[in-house]
């Protein structure tokens, strides 16, 4: 079993839809959970991070962590074509930092 | 957030030549930087960890004599692809980690360098 699993997509949604992106992981020691966005031919950029379980909201983005299920989610409300990118989850404990493979999202106008 | 730059953003070279890619942390010091490679529509693959003042640590399967890493200062790491071949054509991304409070480590990425070997 891979340490972090993520549906690679591609995921295509119409503009304005609510998008749900998910990752599962196996190492219960992870403490911080992050989401990165990577546009084509660009480096990933940190969107948001969450410590331990719970929700965190930032504008149209909501990150959710369920440590008991080892499951994290990123919700995008009112999705826009500019949200089209690859979304990578990441998790860490100290210097142990692991990325998921990424989900390609296309928001169609 | 912290800023990491890379140069060049795109380079084309002939097979057999060497190419150097620079990675700089612009507003912070990075004792450790990381080099990733990404093929089209694939995930990031960690190649090596670059340590300031010491030898890099390479991931399994990455040829250290082919991918030379030098971390000469706290703000600069370089990756040199030696004797490049077309199969080395890829997107190379560096990153640096910034320790924060309470054990959080934030990782910031450079914009990437697209290498095309003809």
């Amino acid at each position: 079993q891979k340490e972090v699993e993520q549906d690679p997509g591609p995921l295509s949604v119409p503009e304005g839809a609510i998008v749900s992106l998910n990752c599962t992981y196996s190492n219960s020691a992870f403490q911080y959970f992050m989401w990165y966005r990577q546009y084509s031919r660009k480096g990933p950029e940190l969107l948001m991070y969450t410590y331990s379980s719970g929700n965190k909201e930032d504008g149209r983005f909501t990150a959710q962590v369920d440590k008991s299920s080892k499951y994290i989610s990123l919700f995008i409300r009112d999705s826009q074509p500019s949200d089209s990118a690859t979304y990578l989850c990441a998790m860490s404990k100290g210097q142990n930092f692991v990325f998921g493979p990424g989900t390609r999202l296309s928001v169609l106008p | 957030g912290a800023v990491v730059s890379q140069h060049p953003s795109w380079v084309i070279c002939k097979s057999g030549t060497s190419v150097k890619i620079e990675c700089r942390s612009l507003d912070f010091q990075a004792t450790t930087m990381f080099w990733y490679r990404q093929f089209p529509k694939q995930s990031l693959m960690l190649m090596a960890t670059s340590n300031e003042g010491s030898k890099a640590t390479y991931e399994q399967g990455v040829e250290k004599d082919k991918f030379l890493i030098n971390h000469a200062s706290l703000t600069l790491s370089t990756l040199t692809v030696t004797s490049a071949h077309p199969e080395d054509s890829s997107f190379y991304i560096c990153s640096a980690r910034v320790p924060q409070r309470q054990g959080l480590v934030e990782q910031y990425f450079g914009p990437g360098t697209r290498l095309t070997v003809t």
Side-chain angles (χ1 to χ4, degrees):
Chain A
Q1 181 188 9
K2 292 182 181 178
E3 201 164 14
V4 179
E5 303 211 40
Q6 191 175 0
D7 187 337
L11 177 64
S12 293
V13 301
E15 183 176 356
I18 297 174
V19 177
S20 173
L21 303 166
N22 311 294
C23 285
T24 58
Y25 62 96
S26 57
N27 187 348
S28 58
F30 288 131
Q31 292 179 314
Y32 287 95
F33 304 88
M34 290 142 284
W35 286 95
Y36 285 79
R37 176 175 61 196
Q38 185 180 21
Y39 291 114
S40 181
R41 296 179 181 174
K42 300 288 184 184
E45 57 177 324
L46 178 64
L47 274 178
M48 55 198 304
Y49 71 85
T50 308
Y51 175 70
S52 194
S53 285
N55 292 359
K56 186 174 185 179
E57 188 174 318
D58 184 0
R60 296 184 295 109
F61 298 87
T62 299
Q64 195 172 76
V65 174
D66 182 349
K67 289 193 74 177
S68 62
S69 302
K70 300 192 185 68
Y71 189 89
I72 70 171
S73 300
L74 177 70
F75 298 98
I76 307 174
R77 290 186 300 279
D78 187 25
S79 55
Q80 303 295 309
S82 58
D83 295 328
S84 298
T86 296
Y87 290 81
L88 302 97
C89 64
M91 41 208 76
S92 72
K93 177 177 169 59
Q95 292 292 332
N96 182 12
F97 209 113
V98 180
F99 284 91
T103 298
R104 287 172 52 216
L105 171 67
S106 292
V107 181
L108 307 175
Chain B
V3 179
V4 177
S5 71
Q6 270 182 254
H7 178 81
S9 57
W10 189 7
V11 57
I12 301 173
C13 70
K14 291 186 177 181
S15 187
T17 62
S18 295
V19 173
K20 181 185 282 188
I21 303 170
E22 291 186 350
C23 175
R24 293 182 185 273
S25 57
L26 296 188
D27 51 0
F28 65 101
Q29 293 182 332
T31 54
T32 305
M33 291 185 176
F34 303 87
W35 287 96
Y36 292 84
R37 179 168 54 185
Q38 187 176 38
F39 293 105
K41 299 182 181 180
Q42 295 191 22
S43 61
L44 295 168
M45 290 173 47
L46 179 64
M47 298 176 65
T49 301
S50 170
N51 304 297
E52 188 266 337
S54 65
K55 292 182 178 180
T57 304
Y58 290 82
E59 295 299 302
Q60 192 173 9
V62 178
E63 300 175 60
K64 61 181 181 181
D65 295 331
K66 182 170 183 60
F67 298 99
L68 301 180
I69 291 173
N70 184 275
H71 197 143
S73 75
L74 288 172
T75 59
L76 173 64
S77 176
T78 60
L79 168 68
T80 302
V81 183
T82 62
S83 186
H85 288 93
E87 57 265 31
D88 297 324
S89 299
S90 188
F91 193 54
Y92 292 86
I93 310 173
C94 71
S95 77
R97 293 179 185 170
V98 181
Q100 302 291 344
R101 54 180 171 75
Q102 294 181 324
L104 170 66
V105 178
E106 293 186 344
Q107 182 160 212
Y108 294 93
F109 288 86
T113 296
R114 185 177 165 201
L115 171 63
T116 300
V117 184
T118 61

